[in-house]
PDB file of all heavy atoms in Angstrom:
ATOM      1  N   MET A 953      19.240  22.098  20.700  1.00 85.00           N
ATOM      2  CA  MET A 953      18.379  22.230  19.540  1.00 85.00           C
ATOM      3  C   MET A 953      17.464  20.992  19.449  1.00 85.00           C
ATOM      4  O   MET A 953      17.915  19.869  19.624  1.00 85.00           O
ATOM      5  CB  MET A 953      19.237  22.376  18.282  1.00 85.00           C
ATOM      6  CG  MET A 953      18.426  22.437  17.007  1.00 85.00           C
ATOM      7  SD  MET A 953      19.478  22.615  15.567  1.00 85.00           S
ATOM      8  CE  MET A 953      18.800  24.119  14.937  1.00 85.00           C
ATOM      9  N   GLU A 954      16.212  21.255  19.172  1.00 89.00           N
ATOM     10  CA  GLU A 954      15.239  20.166  19.050  1.00 89.00           C
ATOM     11  C   GLU A 954      15.507  19.327  17.803  1.00 89.00           C
ATOM     12  O   GLU A 954      15.859  19.854  16.758  1.00 89.00           O
ATOM     13  CB  GLU A 954      13.825  20.732  18.920  1.00 89.00           C
ATOM     14  CG  GLU A 954      13.140  21.064  20.204  1.00 89.00           C
ATOM     15  CD  GLU A 954      11.693  21.435  19.954  1.00 89.00           C
ATOM     16  OE1 GLU A 954      11.441  22.264  19.065  1.00 89.00           O
ATOM     17  OE2 GLU A 954      10.836  20.888  20.648  1.00 89.00           O
ATOM     18  N   SER A 955      15.279  18.039  17.927  1.00 94.00           N
ATOM     19  CA  SER A 955      15.421  17.141  16.777  1.00 94.00           C
ATOM     20  C   SER A 955      14.192  17.274  15.878  1.00 94.00           C
ATOM     21  O   SER A 955      13.147  17.813  16.284  1.00 94.00           O
ATOM     22  CB  SER A 955      15.553  15.697  17.251  1.00 94.00           C
ATOM     23  OG  SER A 955      14.325  15.247  17.805  1.00 94.00           O
ATOM     24  N   ALA A 956      14.316  16.767  14.660  1.00 95.00           N
ATOM     25  CA  ALA A 956      13.176  16.758  13.736  1.00 95.00           C
ATOM     26  C   ALA A 956      12.019  15.972  14.338  1.00 95.00           C
ATOM     27  O   ALA A 956      10.852  16.347  14.188  1.00 95.00           O
ATOM     28  CB  ALA A 956      13.595  16.164  12.389  1.00 95.00           C
ATOM     29  N   TYR A 957      12.344  14.886  15.049  1.00 96.00           N
ATOM     30  CA  TYR A 957      11.273  14.114  15.684  1.00 96.00           C
ATOM     31  C   TYR A 957      10.562  14.941  16.747  1.00 96.00           C
ATOM     32  O   TYR A 957       9.330  14.954  16.803  1.00 96.00           O
ATOM     33  CB  TYR A 957      11.811  12.812  16.300  1.00 96.00           C
ATOM     34  CG  TYR A 957      10.755  12.133  17.125  1.00 96.00           C
ATOM     35  CD1 TYR A 957       9.706  11.443  16.519  1.00 96.00           C
ATOM     36  CD2 TYR A 957      10.760  12.240  18.510  1.00 96.00           C
ATOM     37  CE1 TYR A 957       8.700  10.862  17.278  1.00 96.00           C
ATOM     38  CE2 TYR A 957       9.768  11.657  19.274  1.00 96.00           C
ATOM     39  CZ  TYR A 957       8.733  10.974  18.653  1.00 96.00           C
ATOM     40  OH  TYR A 957       7.731  10.413  19.396  1.00 96.00           O
ATOM     41  N   GLU A 958      11.302  15.629  17.598  1.00 95.00           N
ATOM     42  CA  GLU A 958      10.687  16.437  18.661  1.00 95.00           C
ATOM     43  C   GLU A 958       9.822  17.552  18.082  1.00 95.00           C
ATOM     44  O   GLU A 958       8.697  17.785  18.548  1.00 95.00           O
ATOM     45  CB  GLU A 958      11.761  17.020  19.581  1.00 95.00           C
ATOM     46  CG  GLU A 958      12.478  15.970  20.407  1.00 95.00           C
ATOM     47  CD  GLU A 958      13.741  16.501  21.070  1.00 95.00           C
ATOM     48  OE1 GLU A 958      14.401  17.410  20.515  1.00 95.00           O
ATOM     49  OE2 GLU A 958      14.069  15.994  22.149  1.00 95.00           O
ATOM     50  N   ARG A 959      10.327  18.239  17.056  1.00 95.00           N
ATOM     51  CA  ARG A 959       9.527  19.287  16.389  1.00 95.00           C
ATOM     52  C   ARG A 959       8.293  18.677  15.742  1.00 95.00           C
ATOM     53  O   ARG A 959       7.192  19.211  15.831  1.00 95.00           O
ATOM     54  CB  ARG A 959      10.370  20.017  15.333  1.00 95.00           C
ATOM     55  CG  ARG A 959      11.442  20.904  15.878  1.00 95.00           C
ATOM     56  CD  ARG A 959      12.082  21.784  14.801  1.00 95.00           C
ATOM     57  NE  ARG A 959      12.345  21.128  13.538  1.00 95.00           N
ATOM     58  CZ  ARG A 959      13.442  20.424  13.259  1.00 95.00           C
ATOM     59  NH1 ARG A 959      14.390  20.298  14.172  1.00 95.00           N
ATOM     60  NH2 ARG A 959      13.608  19.863  12.080  1.00 95.00           N
ATOM     61  N   GLY A 960       8.499  17.538  15.073  1.00 95.00           N
ATOM     62  CA  GLY A 960       7.392  16.860  14.400  1.00 95.00           C
ATOM     63  C   GLY A 960       6.334  16.374  15.370  1.00 95.00           C
ATOM     64  O   GLY A 960       5.136  16.490  15.105  1.00 95.00           O
ATOM     65  N   LYS A 961       6.761  15.834  16.492  1.00 96.00           N
ATOM     66  CA  LYS A 961       5.818  15.339  17.501  1.00 96.00           C
ATOM     67  C   LYS A 961       4.957  16.483  18.020  1.00 96.00           C
ATOM     68  O   LYS A 961       3.728  16.356  18.118  1.00 96.00           O
ATOM     69  CB  LYS A 961       6.586  14.667  18.645  1.00 96.00           C
ATOM     70  CG  LYS A 961       5.724  14.152  19.763  1.00 96.00           C
ATOM     71  CD  LYS A 961       4.889  12.976  19.346  1.00 96.00           C
ATOM     72  CE  LYS A 961       4.160  12.399  20.543  1.00 96.00           C
ATOM     73  NZ  LYS A 961       3.239  11.345  20.176  1.00 96.00           N
ATOM     74  N   ALA A 962       5.573  17.612  18.335  1.00 95.00           N
ATOM     75  CA  ALA A 962       4.822  18.761  18.841  1.00 95.00           C
ATOM     76  C   ALA A 962       3.828  19.264  17.794  1.00 95.00           C
ATOM     77  O   ALA A 962       2.664  19.539  18.108  1.00 95.00           O
ATOM     78  CB  ALA A 962       5.786  19.878  19.238  1.00 95.00           C
ATOM     79  N   LEU A 963       4.264  19.353  16.549  1.00 93.00           N
ATOM     80  CA  LEU A 963       3.381  19.842  15.491  1.00 93.00           C
ATOM     81  C   LEU A 963       2.280  18.843  15.171  1.00 93.00           C
ATOM     82  O   LEU A 963       1.125  19.222  14.990  1.00 93.00           O
ATOM     83  CB  LEU A 963       4.196  20.160  14.235  1.00 93.00           C
ATOM     84  CG  LEU A 963       3.446  20.801  13.078  1.00 93.00           C
ATOM     85  CD1 LEU A 963       2.728  22.080  13.524  1.00 93.00           C
ATOM     86  CD2 LEU A 963       4.399  21.100  11.939  1.00 93.00           C
ATOM     87  N   SER A 964       2.599  17.555  15.125  1.00 94.00           N
ATOM     88  CA  SER A 964       1.565  16.561  14.810  1.00 94.00           C
ATOM     89  C   SER A 964       0.520  16.508  15.917  1.00 94.00           C
ATOM     90  O   SER A 964      -0.663  16.308  15.647  1.00 94.00           O
ATOM     91  CB  SER A 964       2.165  15.179  14.557  1.00 94.00           C
ATOM     92  OG  SER A 964       2.623  14.579  15.742  1.00 94.00           O
ATOM     93  N   GLU A 965       0.928  16.690  17.163  1.00 93.00           N
ATOM     94  CA  GLU A 965      -0.039  16.686  18.271  1.00 93.00           C
ATOM     95  C   GLU A 965      -0.967  17.893  18.191  1.00 93.00           C
ATOM     96  O   GLU A 965      -2.129  17.814  18.565  1.00 93.00           O
ATOM     97  CB  GLU A 965       0.665  16.636  19.619  1.00 93.00           C
ATOM     98  CG  GLU A 965       1.153  15.254  19.975  1.00 93.00           C
ATOM     99  CD  GLU A 965       0.030  14.214  20.006  1.00 93.00           C
ATOM    100  OE1 GLU A 965      -1.015  14.451  20.633  1.00 93.00           O
ATOM    101  OE2 GLU A 965       0.199  13.157  19.372  1.00 93.00           O
ATOM    102  N   LYS A 966      -0.456  18.993  17.689  1.00 90.00           N
ATOM    103  CA  LYS A 966      -1.280  20.192  17.519  1.00 90.00           C
ATOM    104  C   LYS A 966      -2.225  20.030  16.320  1.00 90.00           C
ATOM    105  O   LYS A 966      -3.392  20.388  16.375  1.00 90.00           O
ATOM    106  CB  LYS A 966      -0.356  21.401  17.311  1.00 90.00           C
ATOM    107  CG  LYS A 966      -1.048  22.708  17.080  1.00 90.00           C
ATOM    108  CD  LYS A 966      -0.016  23.808  16.884  1.00 90.00           C
ATOM    109  CE  LYS A 966      -0.660  25.081  16.398  1.00 90.00           C
ATOM    110  NZ  LYS A 966       0.319  26.107  16.076  1.00 90.00           N
ATOM    111  N   GLY A 970      -2.860  12.473  18.509  1.00 94.00           N
ATOM    112  CA  GLY A 970      -2.974  11.018  18.584  1.00 94.00           C
ATOM    113  C   GLY A 970      -2.503  10.276  17.348  1.00 94.00           C
ATOM    114  O   GLY A 970      -2.591   9.046  17.291  1.00 94.00           O
ATOM    115  N   LEU A 971      -1.971  10.988  16.364  1.00 94.00           N
ATOM    116  CA  LEU A 971      -1.556  10.344  15.113  1.00 94.00           C
ATOM    117  C   LEU A 971      -0.471   9.299  15.344  1.00 94.00           C
ATOM    118  O   LEU A 971      -0.580   8.172  14.861  1.00 94.00           O
ATOM    119  CB  LEU A 971      -1.072  11.388  14.102  1.00 94.00           C
ATOM    120  CG  LEU A 971      -0.546  10.838  12.785  1.00 94.00           C
ATOM    121  CD1 LEU A 971      -1.634  10.071  12.042  1.00 94.00           C
ATOM    122  CD2 LEU A 971       0.015  11.958  11.923  1.00 94.00           C
ATOM    123  N   GLU A 972       0.561   9.662  16.073  1.00 96.00           N
ATOM    124  CA  GLU A 972       1.656   8.707  16.272  1.00 96.00           C
ATOM    125  C   GLU A 972       1.161   7.445  16.978  1.00 96.00           C
ATOM    126  O   GLU A 972       1.517   6.333  16.595  1.00 96.00           O
ATOM    127  CB  GLU A 972       2.796   9.338  17.065  1.00 96.00           C
ATOM    128  CG  GLU A 972       3.967   8.385  17.232  1.00 96.00           C
ATOM    129  CD  GLU A 972       5.137   8.982  17.974  1.00 96.00           C
ATOM    130  OE1 GLU A 972       5.121  10.181  18.309  1.00 96.00           O
ATOM    131  OE2 GLU A 972       6.086   8.218  18.238  1.00 96.00           O
ATOM    132  N   GLU A 973       0.326   7.610  17.983  1.00 97.00           N
ATOM    133  CA  GLU A 973      -0.201   6.468  18.715  1.00 97.00           C
ATOM    134  C   GLU A 973      -1.057   5.586  17.806  1.00 97.00           C
ATOM    135  O   GLU A 973      -0.983   4.355  17.876  1.00 97.00           O
ATOM    136  CB  GLU A 973      -0.999   6.929  19.930  1.00 97.00           C
ATOM    137  CG  GLU A 973      -0.146   7.565  21.017  1.00 97.00           C
ATOM    138  CD  GLU A 973       0.317   8.994  20.713  1.00 97.00           C
ATOM    139  OE1 GLU A 973      -0.236   9.643  19.782  1.00 97.00           O
ATOM    140  OE2 GLU A 973       1.252   9.458  21.388  1.00 97.00           O
ATOM    141  N   ALA A 974      -1.859   6.195  16.957  1.00 96.00           N
ATOM    142  CA  ALA A 974      -2.696   5.424  16.026  1.00 96.00           C
ATOM    143  C   ALA A 974      -1.830   4.650  15.037  1.00 96.00           C
ATOM    144  O   ALA A 974      -2.095   3.475  14.738  1.00 96.00           O
ATOM    145  CB  ALA A 974      -3.658   6.353  15.289  1.00 96.00           C
ATOM    146  N   LEU A 975      -0.775   5.292  14.542  1.00 96.00           N
ATOM    147  CA  LEU A 975       0.142   4.614  13.626  1.00 96.00           C
ATOM    148  C   LEU A 975       0.869   3.474  14.328  1.00 96.00           C
ATOM    149  O   LEU A 975       1.060   2.400  13.752  1.00 96.00           O
ATOM    150  CB  LEU A 975       1.159   5.608  13.055  1.00 96.00           C
ATOM    151  CG  LEU A 975       0.612   6.670  12.103  1.00 96.00           C
ATOM    152  CD1 LEU A 975       1.669   7.730  11.842  1.00 96.00           C
ATOM    153  CD2 LEU A 975       0.127   6.039  10.806  1.00 96.00           C
ATOM    154  N   GLU A 976       1.272   3.709  15.568  1.00 97.00           N
ATOM    155  CA  GLU A 976       1.969   2.682  16.343  1.00 97.00           C
ATOM    156  C   GLU A 976       1.066   1.473  16.561  1.00 97.00           C
ATOM    157  O   GLU A 976       1.485   0.326  16.382  1.00 97.00           O
ATOM    158  CB  GLU A 976       2.427   3.249  17.692  1.00 97.00           C
ATOM    159  CG  GLU A 976       3.211   2.266  18.533  1.00 97.00           C
ATOM    160  CD  GLU A 976       4.550   1.892  17.928  1.00 97.00           C
ATOM    161  OE1 GLU A 976       5.268   2.773  17.414  1.00 97.00           O
ATOM    162  OE2 GLU A 976       4.886   0.688  17.975  1.00 97.00           O
ATOM    163  N   PRO A 984       8.503  -1.661  13.036  1.00 97.00           N
ATOM    164  CA  PRO A 984       8.986  -0.910  14.193  1.00 97.00           C
ATOM    165  C   PRO A 984       9.696   0.375  13.766  1.00 97.00           C
ATOM    166  O   PRO A 984      10.495   0.378  12.826  1.00 97.00           O
ATOM    167  CB  PRO A 984       9.969  -1.884  14.860  1.00 97.00           C
ATOM    168  CG  PRO A 984       9.519  -3.242  14.410  1.00 97.00           C
ATOM    169  CD  PRO A 984       9.001  -3.037  13.006  1.00 97.00           C
ATOM    170  N   GLY A 985       9.335   1.466  14.425  1.00 97.00           N
ATOM    171  CA  GLY A 985       9.950   2.760  14.124  1.00 97.00           C
ATOM    172  C   GLY A 985       9.252   3.551  13.043  1.00 97.00           C
ATOM    173  O   GLY A 985       9.523   4.740  12.870  1.00 97.00           O
ATOM    174  N   MET A 986       8.372   2.926  12.269  1.00 97.00           N
ATOM    175  CA  MET A 986       7.699   3.619  11.169  1.00 97.00           C
ATOM    176  C   MET A 986       6.923   4.844  11.653  1.00 97.00           C
ATOM    177  O   MET A 986       7.038   5.917  11.053  1.00 97.00           O
ATOM    178  CB  MET A 986       6.773   2.659  10.416  1.00 97.00           C
ATOM    179  CG  MET A 986       5.953   3.333   9.331  1.00 97.00           C
ATOM    180  SD  MET A 986       4.370   3.923   9.990  1.00 97.00           S
ATOM    181  CE  MET A 986       3.338   3.723   8.586  1.00 97.00           C
ATOM    182  N   PRO A 987       6.154   4.745  12.745  1.00 97.00           N
ATOM    183  CA  PRO A 987       5.413   5.929  13.189  1.00 97.00           C
ATOM    184  C   PRO A 987       6.336   7.105  13.534  1.00 97.00           C
ATOM    185  O   PRO A 987       6.056   8.246  13.163  1.00 97.00           O
ATOM    186  CB  PRO A 987       4.650   5.435  14.422  1.00 97.00           C
ATOM    187  CG  PRO A 987       4.510   3.967  14.199  1.00 97.00           C
ATOM    188  CD  PRO A 987       5.798   3.562  13.525  1.00 97.00           C
ATOM    189  N   GLN A 988       7.443   6.811  14.209  1.00 97.00           N
ATOM    190  CA  GLN A 988       8.377   7.863  14.578  1.00 97.00           C
ATOM    191  C   GLN A 988       9.063   8.448  13.331  1.00 97.00           C
ATOM    192  O   GLN A 988       9.275   9.663  13.243  1.00 97.00           O
ATOM    193  CB  GLN A 988       9.418   7.330  15.572  1.00 97.00           C
ATOM    194  CG  GLN A 988       8.834   6.930  16.909  1.00 97.00           C
ATOM    195  CD  GLN A 988       8.083   5.589  16.901  1.00 97.00           C
ATOM    196  OE1 GLN A 988       8.344   4.710  16.071  1.00 97.00           O
ATOM    197  NE2 GLN A 988       7.148   5.443  17.820  1.00 97.00           N
ATOM    198  N   ASP A 989       9.389   7.589  12.369  1.00 97.00           N
ATOM    199  CA  ASP A 989       9.994   8.066  11.123  1.00 97.00           C
ATOM    200  C   ASP A 989       9.035   9.003  10.388  1.00 97.00           C
ATOM    201  O   ASP A 989       9.435  10.054   9.882  1.00 97.00           O
ATOM    202  CB  ASP A 989      10.356   6.901  10.200  1.00 97.00           C
ATOM    203  CG  ASP A 989      11.529   6.084  10.700  1.00 97.00           C
ATOM    204  OD1 ASP A 989      12.262   6.546  11.618  1.00 97.00           O
ATOM    205  OD2 ASP A 989      11.718   4.966  10.180  1.00 97.00           O
ATOM    206  N   LEU A 990       7.770   8.616  10.314  1.00 97.00           N
ATOM    207  CA  LEU A 990       6.777   9.435   9.634  1.00 97.00           C
ATOM    208  C   LEU A 990       6.616  10.780  10.339  1.00 97.00           C
ATOM    209  O   LEU A 990       6.627  11.831   9.683  1.00 97.00           O
ATOM    210  CB  LEU A 990       5.433   8.715   9.569  1.00 97.00           C
ATOM    211  CG  LEU A 990       4.362   9.418   8.751  1.00 97.00           C
ATOM    212  CD1 LEU A 990       3.551   8.409   7.968  1.00 97.00           C
ATOM    213  CD2 LEU A 990       3.466  10.256   9.618  1.00 97.00           C
ATOM    214  N   ILE A 991       6.503  10.765  11.662  1.00 97.00           N
ATOM    215  CA  ILE A 991       6.356  12.006  12.427  1.00 97.00           C
ATOM    216  C   ILE A 991       7.566  12.910  12.200  1.00 97.00           C
ATOM    217  O   ILE A 991       7.430  14.109  11.957  1.00 97.00           O
ATOM    218  CB  ILE A 991       6.151  11.703  13.932  1.00 97.00           C
ATOM    219  CG1 ILE A 991       4.840  10.963  14.177  1.00 97.00           C
ATOM    220  CG2 ILE A 991       6.248  12.979  14.766  1.00 97.00           C
ATOM    221  CD1 ILE A 991       3.584  11.700  13.811  1.00 97.00           C
ATOM    222  N   SER A 992       8.746  12.336  12.248  1.00 97.00           N
ATOM    223  CA  SER A 992       9.974  13.102  12.052  1.00 97.00           C
ATOM    224  C   SER A 992      10.049  13.701  10.653  1.00 97.00           C
ATOM    225  O   SER A 992      10.306  14.898  10.486  1.00 97.00           O
ATOM    226  CB  SER A 992      11.182  12.204  12.301  1.00 97.00           C
ATOM    227  OG  SER A 992      12.378  12.900  12.061  1.00 97.00           O
ATOM    228  N   PHE A 993       9.810  12.876   9.642  1.00 96.00           N
ATOM    229  CA  PHE A 993       9.970  13.322   8.255  1.00 96.00           C
ATOM    230  C   PHE A 993       8.841  14.255   7.814  1.00 96.00           C
ATOM    231  O   PHE A 993       9.092  15.355   7.330  1.00 96.00           O
ATOM    232  CB  PHE A 993      10.043  12.105   7.328  1.00 96.00           C
ATOM    233  CG  PHE A 993      10.349  12.460   5.901  1.00 96.00           C
ATOM    234  CD1 PHE A 993      11.601  12.916   5.543  1.00 96.00           C
ATOM    235  CD2 PHE A 993       9.382  12.332   4.919  1.00 96.00           C
ATOM    236  CE1 PHE A 993      11.894  13.248   4.220  1.00 96.00           C
ATOM    237  CE2 PHE A 993       9.661  12.660   3.602  1.00 96.00           C
ATOM    238  CZ  PHE A 993      10.917  13.118   3.250  1.00 96.00           C
ATOM    239  N   VAL A 994       7.603  13.823   8.002  1.00 95.00           N
ATOM    240  CA  VAL A 994       6.468  14.598   7.502  1.00 95.00           C
ATOM    241  C   VAL A 994       6.288  15.887   8.297  1.00 95.00           C
ATOM    242  O   VAL A 994       6.208  16.977   7.729  1.00 95.00           O
ATOM    243  CB  VAL A 994       5.169  13.760   7.516  1.00 95.00           C
ATOM    244  CG1 VAL A 994       3.960  14.604   7.174  1.00 95.00           C
ATOM    245  CG2 VAL A 994       5.298  12.585   6.546  1.00 95.00           C
ATOM    246  N   TYR A 995       6.222  15.759   9.618  1.00 94.00           N
ATOM    247  CA  TYR A 995       5.920  16.936  10.439  1.00 94.00           C
ATOM    248  C   TYR A 995       7.169  17.701  10.869  1.00 94.00           C
ATOM    249  O   TYR A 995       7.157  18.929  10.903  1.00 94.00           O
ATOM    250  CB  TYR A 995       5.079  16.535  11.652  1.00 94.00           C
ATOM    251  CG  TYR A 995       3.681  16.165  11.244  1.00 94.00           C
ATOM    252  CD1 TYR A 995       3.329  14.853  10.983  1.00 94.00           C
ATOM    253  CD2 TYR A 995       2.711  17.145  11.079  1.00 94.00           C
ATOM    254  CE1 TYR A 995       2.050  14.512  10.577  1.00 94.00           C
ATOM    255  CE2 TYR A 995       1.430  16.822  10.671  1.00 94.00           C
ATOM    256  CZ  TYR A 995       1.105  15.501  10.425  1.00 94.00           C
ATOM    257  OH  TYR A 995      -0.160  15.178  10.012  1.00 94.00           O
ATOM    258  N   GLY A 996       8.257  17.003  11.186  1.00 95.00           N
ATOM    259  CA  GLY A 996       9.457  17.678  11.661  1.00 95.00           C
ATOM    260  C   GLY A 996      10.318  18.271  10.573  1.00 95.00           C
ATOM    261  O   GLY A 996      11.035  19.243  10.803  1.00 95.00           O
ATOM    262  N   GLN A 997      10.271  17.682   9.368  1.00 94.00           N
ATOM    263  CA  GLN A 997      11.113  18.179   8.286  1.00 94.00           C
ATOM    264  C   GLN A 997      10.333  18.895   7.188  1.00 94.00           C
ATOM    265  O   GLN A 997      10.908  19.716   6.481  1.00 94.00           O
ATOM    266  CB  GLN A 997      11.909  17.030   7.674  1.00 94.00           C
ATOM    267  CG  GLN A 997      12.908  16.439   8.650  1.00 94.00           C
ATOM    268  CD  GLN A 997      13.738  15.344   8.017  1.00 94.00           C
ATOM    269  OE1 GLN A 997      14.099  15.410   6.855  1.00 94.00           O
ATOM    270  NE2 GLN A 997      14.025  14.312   8.793  1.00 94.00           N
ATOM    271  N   HIS A 998       9.057  18.590   7.008  1.00 93.00           N
ATOM    272  CA  HIS A 998       8.302  19.224   5.928  1.00 93.00           C
ATOM    273  C   HIS A 998       7.281  20.235   6.425  1.00 93.00           C
ATOM    274  O   HIS A 998       7.331  21.392   6.037  1.00 93.00           O
ATOM    275  CB  HIS A 998       7.641  18.168   5.030  1.00 93.00           C
ATOM    276  CG  HIS A 998       8.629  17.518   4.138  1.00 93.00           C
ATOM    277  ND1 HIS A 998       8.962  18.018   2.909  1.00 93.00           N
ATOM    278  CD2 HIS A 998       9.407  16.426   4.324  1.00 93.00           C
ATOM    279  CE1 HIS A 998       9.892  17.268   2.368  1.00 93.00           C
ATOM    280  NE2 HIS A 998      10.184  16.282   3.204  1.00 93.00           N
ATOM    281  N   TYR A 999       6.359  19.810   7.253  1.00 91.00           N
ATOM    282  CA  TYR A 999       5.328  20.735   7.724  1.00 91.00           C
ATOM    283  C   TYR A 999       5.922  21.862   8.563  1.00 91.00           C
ATOM    284  O   TYR A 999       5.331  22.929   8.666  1.00 91.00           O
ATOM    285  CB  TYR A 999       4.248  19.995   8.513  1.00 91.00           C
ATOM    286  CG  TYR A 999       3.144  19.461   7.636  1.00 91.00           C
ATOM    287  CD1 TYR A 999       3.311  18.288   6.918  1.00 91.00           C
ATOM    288  CD2 TYR A 999       1.941  20.132   7.517  1.00 91.00           C
ATOM    289  CE1 TYR A 999       2.312  17.801   6.103  1.00 91.00           C
ATOM    290  CE2 TYR A 999       0.930  19.652   6.703  1.00 91.00           C
ATOM    291  CZ  TYR A 999       1.130  18.482   6.001  1.00 91.00           C
ATOM    292  OH  TYR A 999       0.132  18.007   5.190  1.00 91.00           O
ATOM    293  N   ASP A1000       7.073  21.652   9.161  1.00 88.00           N
ATOM    294  CA  ASP A1000       7.697  22.652  10.023  1.00 88.00           C
ATOM    295  C   ASP A1000       8.676  23.560   9.269  1.00 88.00           C
ATOM    296  O   ASP A1000       9.319  24.403   9.867  1.00 88.00           O
ATOM    297  CB  ASP A1000       8.415  21.948  11.192  1.00 88.00           C
ATOM    298  CG  ASP A1000       8.766  22.903  12.318  1.00 88.00           C
ATOM    299  OD1 ASP A1000       7.915  23.740  12.677  1.00 88.00           O
ATOM    300  OD2 ASP A1000       9.892  22.807  12.836  1.00 88.00           O
TER     301      ASP A1000
END
Side-chain angles (χ1 to χ4, degrees):
M953 177 180 238
E954 276 188 311
S955 69
Y957 171 75
E958 292 167 329
R959 289 190 318 274
K961 178 69 174 174
L963 185 55
S964 72
E965 282 302 311
K966 178 180 169 186
L971 177 61
E972 182 178 355
E973 291 76 15
L975 292 169
E976 183 66 42
M986 175 270 213
Q988 294 76 25
D989 289 346
L990 186 141
I991 295 297
S992 177
F993 186 70
V994 173
Y995 289 94
Q997 294 183 37
H998 285 272
Y999 272 80
D1000 195 43

